[in-house]
Amino acid sequence: MQFKRGFMMKVNDLNMKEIAKLAGVSTATVSRVLNHSGKVKESTRKKIEELIEQTGYRPNVLARELAEKKTNLIGLIVHAMTGEGIPKAVNGLNEQLSENGYSLLIAGSNGIFENEMKQIELFRQKRVEGMVFATRQFTEEHEKIMKKLPFPVVILMQDTDSAGISNAGFDNFQLAKEAASSLLSLGHRRFAYIGGPESSDSAVLRENGVKAALKEYGVYLRPALQKRGSYHIGDGYTLMKQILNEQEKPTAVLAGNDGMAVGAVNCLLQHGYRVPEDVSVMGLDDTDLAQASIIPLSGVQYSYTALGREAANMMIQGIEAGELLYEKRILPHNICIRQSVSSI
Amino acid sequence: MQFKRGFMMKVNDLNMKEIAKLAGVSTATVSRVLNHSGKVKESTRKKIEELIEQTGYRPNVLARELAEKKTNLIGLIVHAMTGEGIPKAVNGLNEQLSENGYSLLIAGSNGIFENEMKQIELFRQKRVEGMVFATRQFTEEHEKIMKKLPFPVVILMQDTDSAGISNAGFDNFQLAKEAASSLLSLGHRRFAYIGGPESSDSAVLRENGVKAALKEYGVYLRPALQKRGSYHIGDGYTLMKQILNEQEKPTAVLAGNDGMAVGAVNCLLQHGYRVPEDVSVMGLDDTDLAQASIIPLSGVQYSYTALGREAANMMIQGIEAGELLYEKRILPHNICIRQSVSSI
């Protein structure tokens, strides 16, 4: 079953002259109505507005943008809409931009540098007024290119301070340090850490934060009890199993995200360990996955939606000021202890 | 710590004339290099390309778009980037569009009709060449507006066949019917169904599918064992608890999504029921949450990424043909039985 549906291009191809002719007024009058400027007789205004409504006429925005050099477009590059964090950040960003009259042009890079460069080129061509950029590792190459861009840039979740490029994110070092400290303060000394990949800047910061906390307590993280995964539930399960094969078992397991923490909990329970009586588990996250855990999972609360909104605010302020002052904005976090953790 | 970073607007404001002057050639030569058309001496081409590289000059795309009436923009309206499905569909859509030279302009509506209309207006102004649209309930109001739009529209996950509007999605009735049938064929007769809200078109279709399967087997779904939630893990838990308060307990629980299925599993285990020995549980989904369940969850596999790609293909074909023929594309699904389900 197929039937044609024309696009009615004609209505959109009507120009201001034709609207004016239909209304029996000058194009200047139509323009005043469209721009809500200058005096127009009430009955004339109404007539023109009705004509605009009936014909579906829209002022030629491309032409206006060309004249005003104003597109109200903000570009966003992310690796992909995976996990919970990025989609929530996009929500917050989009809402805040939209409330301020900007639209979001979105591009996925799969984390590949060449794709990122292609997308930036596209944004230049589309004359975006600013760009929000997320990548796994912010390199010197990135820095060079960002500094040459003719529009303001805000980096998501990366430390680009030394480059003097504005960024918004969470304090990965500090939140990991606080989470580890909370386990240490409950008496745990035999520690396992299941972190993210070395290729991720934030994973490295979290690992360093954990180690800083342990150092403060004079606790040594045995290499056999330190693992790195790719943030998947299955990684948490497999790596936890490897840890359980070690002679000295940990009393506390900290995981770099909720997915791996849930995997660790499931592995422990299925191998006859009780959580938290035998082993406490905590994830550096507070996502829906934490709620899916049969043992309510301890973690770190922070808001990706707020992060997106904050990045939007920085961007809008930069655009309105006509220049982007270097600025760093760190979103707050809270350590949240639930049933998966107990004192020793 | 704040320091200024100018936007280097000047380089972008360079025009073709100035590039030509710097290169000591005519603007026609610059244009030939930019458009990769006509003969240009190799050394001249190189010189111009270097100048373009050095100055960051970009041809004025807005002006070209205005002349060609081609923006290569596709608009997308979704309620929000929540859950796993929509973000994955956006990934697929974005990848496929991007591979074909189109960019995605994304807008969130929070499922509010007035917002949807505002976003459509924005898309018209931005001269998008097509729109992909997702909403919870497709009303007559929607239909009226979609039919008047001057660009092709593809609806995501809604049956808009009677309106003759193209759509891509899953067969919610059929997949729910098959899932229920798989439980029935394993001998289950005492059924509970935890479905989605009545305000969701897809939730209604799934409920009808479940009831159709039960009818085929002559099984009656007791009203006390039929619940409706908002797809959250907590809803599954709470509603399962209500069901357990009933005198006649079910032997099989089917949930409208994985979140509610995981909530139901957790509730059963925490109240001393074994899964699947006492109660089988299945969700109409196959998301990461299913993997988070301590008992590997049975469900229905379908690909949101493939859905996004399919919608992109329909859109591109429509744009290239200059008209959108009404078409319906249903993505495949598979029933997937894991440990959470057993025969009676």
Side-chain angles (χ1 to χ4, degrees):
Chain A
M1 186 174 69
Q2 291 200 335
F3 61 88
K4 272 188 180 185
R5 197 164 71 79
F7 290 168
M8 304 170 68
M9 287 306 282
K10 263 183 245 149
V11 289
N12 226 18
D13 284 354
L14 264 183
N15 63 30
M16 209 187 282
K17 229 173 178 173
E18 288 163 305
I19 294 282
K21 204 176 159 194
L22 286 167
V25 299
S26 68
T27 53
T29 307
V30 176
S31 171
R32 281 201 295 274
V33 171
L34 285 168
N35 296 311
H36 307 281
S37 67
K39 271 190 196 167
V40 180
K41 224 170 74 181
E42 194 45 41
S43 60
T44 308
R45 177 182 301 280
K46 227 178 154 186
K47 192 173 176 185
I48 291 170
E49 281 174 350
E50 276 170 14
L51 268 169
I52 289 169
E53 174 64 31
Q54 284 164 22
T55 59
Y57 167 72
R58 292 299 180 287
N60 194 326
V61 174
L62 286 186
R64 205 175 64 204
E65 286 176 353
L66 187 60
E68 293 176 5
K69 299 191 173 182
K70 184 103 184 105
T71 62
N72 286 340
L73 280 179
I74 304 296
L76 167 71
I77 296 179
V78 291
H79 5 95
M81 290 283 168
T82 46
E84 254 182 68
I86 292 288
K88 279 186 179 165
V90 172
N91 267 345
L93 187 63
N94 202 12
E95 275 175 25
Q96 192 74 356
L97 288 176
S98 170
E99 283 165 21
N100 287 276
Y102 291 90
S103 303
L104 196 60
L105 197 60
I106 198 164
S109 67
N110 279 324
I112 296 164
F113 184 76
E114 286 69 30
N115 291 350
E116 292 171 348
M117 294 308 109
K118 259 189 232 160
Q119 307 290 15
I120 289 175
E121 183 57 34
L122 171 82
F123 288 170
R124 293 185 74 143
Q125 290 184 359
K126 288 285 176 195
R127 307 246 159 172
V128 299
E129 297 188 32
M131 178 175 81
V132 178
F133 184 75
T135 186
R136 287 204 180 86
Q137 228 170 0
F138 195 86
T139 64
E140 273 176 41
E141 278 303 301
H142 283 113
E143 179 179 335
K144 252 189 248 167
I145 282 140
M146 301 291 156
K147 282 187 158 169
K148 269 196 211 159
L149 291 177
F151 44 72
V153 176
V154 174
I155 310 291
L156 275 190
M157 294 178 284
Q158 296 276 350
D159 182 348
T160 50
D161 303 338
S162 62
I165 299 175
S166 289
N167 59 79
F170 308 112
D171 192 339
N172 286 299
F173 178 89
Q174 187 59 25
L175 66 85
K177 192 180 168 201
E178 287 175 24
S181 295
S182 72
L183 290 168
L184 288 157
S185 71
L186 289 168
H188 293 281
R189 294 294 178 269
R190 292 213 312 275
F191 237 77
Y193 182 60
I194 302 175
E198 267 181 306
S199 61
S200 155
D201 289 347
S202 61
V204 171
L205 285 168
R206 287 175 178 213
E207 189 176 311
N208 291 342
V210 170
K211 286 181 175 167
L214 293 171
K215 206 180 167 189
E216 276 187 8
Y217 277 77
V219 174
Y220 174 65
L221 180 59
R222 290 184 47 219
L225 299 188
Q226 190 194 335
K227 305 285 181 188
R228 291 194 188 97
S230 301
Y231 291 131
H232 299 297
I233 297 167
D235 296 335
Y237 193 100
T238 311
L239 297 169
M240 188 68 235
K241 209 170 161 184
Q242 288 175 19
I243 291 169
L244 290 177
N245 285 335
E246 293 296 315
Q247 217 166 8
E248 198 187 14
K249 314 278 187 274
T251 66
V253 179
L254 190 57
N257 77 335
D258 277 348
M260 295 197 293
V262 167
V265 167
N266 288 349
C267 177
L268 285 162
L269 295 178
Q270 283 177 8
H271 288 80
Y273 293 85
R274 292 166 305 161
V275 177
E277 294 84 350
D278 301 323
V279 184
S280 287
V281 181
M282 189 167 183
L284 295 177
D285 247 349
D286 188 32
T287 65
D288 278 356
L289 279 179
Q291 295 169 44
S293 171
I294 180 107
I295 315 280
L297 201 63
S298 306
V300 182
Q301 294 179 311
Y302 43 74
S303 168
Y304 277 98
T305 311
L307 173 66
R309 286 194 167 264
E310 202 62 34
N313 286 336
M314 289 166 80
M315 186 53 75
I316 294 162
Q317 283 164 23
I319 291 169
E320 283 174 1
E323 63 189 357
L324 187 64
L325 298 172
Y326 158 71
E327 217 186 329
K328 182 186 191 64
R329 294 203 194 166
I330 294 294
L331 280 285
H333 63 258
N334 277 312
I335 306 297
C336 180
I337 302 291
R338 299 199 190 88
Q339 286 171 44
S340 69
V341 162
S342 70
S343 61
I344 206 152
Chain B
M1 187 173 67
Q2 290 201 334
F3 61 88
K4 271 188 182 185
R5 197 164 71 80
F7 290 169
M8 303 170 66
M9 287 307 281
K10 263 184 244 148
V11 289
N12 227 16
D13 285 353
L14 265 183
N15 60 30
M16 211 188 280
K17 230 174 179 170
E18 289 163 303
I19 294 281
K21 205 176 159 192
L22 286 168
V25 299
S26 68
T27 52
T29 307
V30 176
S31 171
R32 281 201 295 275
V33 170
L34 284 169
N35 296 311
H36 307 281
S37 67
K39 272 189 194 166
V40 180
K41 224 171 73 183
E42 195 44 44
S43 61
T44 308
R45 176 182 303 279
K46 227 179 153 185
K47 192 173 177 185
I48 291 169
E49 280 173 351
E50 275 170 15
L51 268 169
I52 288 168
E53 174 63 32
Q54 283 165 23
T55 58
Y57 168 72
R58 291 299 180 288
N60 194 325
V61 175
L62 285 186
R64 204 176 64 204
E65 286 176 354
L66 187 59
E68 294 176 5
K69 298 191 174 181
K70 185 101 185 108
T71 61
N72 286 339
L73 280 179
I74 304 296
L76 168 71
I77 297 179
V78 291
H79 5 95
M81 290 283 169
T82 47
E84 254 182 66
I86 291 288
K88 279 187 179 165
V90 172
N91 267 345
L93 188 63
N94 201 12
E95 275 175 26
Q96 193 73 355
L97 288 176
S98 169
E99 282 165 21
N100 286 277
Y102 292 89
S103 304
L104 196 60
L105 197 60
I106 197 165
S109 66
N110 279 324
I112 296 164
F113 184 77
E114 286 69 29
N115 292 349
E116 293 171 348
M117 294 306 110
K118 259 189 232 159
Q119 307 290 15
I120 289 175
E121 183 58 33
L122 171 81
F123 288 169
R124 293 185 74 144
Q125 290 184 0
K126 288 283 177 196
R127 306 246 159 172
V128 299
E129 297 188 32
M131 177 174 81
V132 178
F133 184 74
T135 186
R136 287 203 180 86
Q137 229 170 1
F138 194 86
T139 63
E140 272 177 41
E141 278 303 301
H142 284 111
E143 179 179 336
K144 252 189 248 167
I145 282 140
M146 301 291 156
K147 282 187 157 170
K148 269 196 211 160
L149 291 177
F151 44 72
V153 177
V154 174
I155 310 291
L156 276 189
M157 295 178 284
Q158 295 276 350
D159 182 347
T160 50
D161 303 338
S162 62
I165 299 174
S166 289
N167 59 80
F170 307 113
D171 191 339
N172 286 300
F173 177 91
Q174 187 59 24
L175 66 85
K177 192 181 167 201
E178 287 175 24
S181 295
S182 71
L183 291 168
L184 287 156
S185 70
L186 289 168
H188 293 281
R189 293 295 179 269
R190 292 213 310 275
F191 237 79
Y193 182 60
I194 303 176
E198 267 181 306
S199 61
S200 155
D201 288 347
S202 61
V204 171
L205 285 167
R206 287 175 178 213
E207 190 176 311
N208 291 342
V210 170
K211 286 181 176 170
L214 293 171
K215 206 180 166 190
E216 277 188 7
Y217 278 77
V219 173
Y220 174 64
L221 180 60
R222 289 183 49 218
L225 299 188
Q226 190 194 335
K227 304 286 181 188
R228 292 195 187 96
S230 301
Y231 290 132
H232 300 298
I233 297 167
D235 296 336
Y237 194 100
T238 312
L239 297 169
M240 189 68 235
K241 209 169 161 185
Q242 287 174 19
I243 291 169
L244 290 176
N245 285 334
E246 293 295 316
Q247 217 167 5
E248 199 187 14
K249 314 279 188 272
T251 66
V253 179
L254 189 57
N257 77 335
D258 276 349
M260 295 197 292
V262 168
V265 167
N266 288 350
C267 176
L268 285 162
L269 295 178
Q270 284 176 9
H271 289 79
Y273 293 85
R274 292 167 305 161
V275 176
E277 294 84 348
D278 300 323
V279 184
S280 288
V281 181
M282 189 168 183
L284 295 176
D285 247 348
D286 188 32
T287 66
D288 278 356
L289 280 178
Q291 296 169 42
S293 171
I294 179 110
I295 315 280
L297 201 63
S298 304
V300 182
Q301 293 178 312
Y302 44 73
S303 168
Y304 278 98
T305 311
L307 173 66
R309 286 193 168 263
E310 202 62 34
N313 286 335
M314 290 168 79
M315 185 54 76
I316 293 163
Q317 283 165 22
I319 290 169
E320 283 174 3
E323 63 190 357
L324 187 63
L325 299 172
Y326 157 71
E327 217 185 327
K328 182 187 191 64
R329 293 202 194 168
I330 295 293
L331 280 285
H333 63 258
N334 278 311
I335 305 298
C336 180
I337 301 291
R338 298 200 190 88
Q339 287 171 42
S340 69
V341 162
S342 69
S343 63
I344 207 152

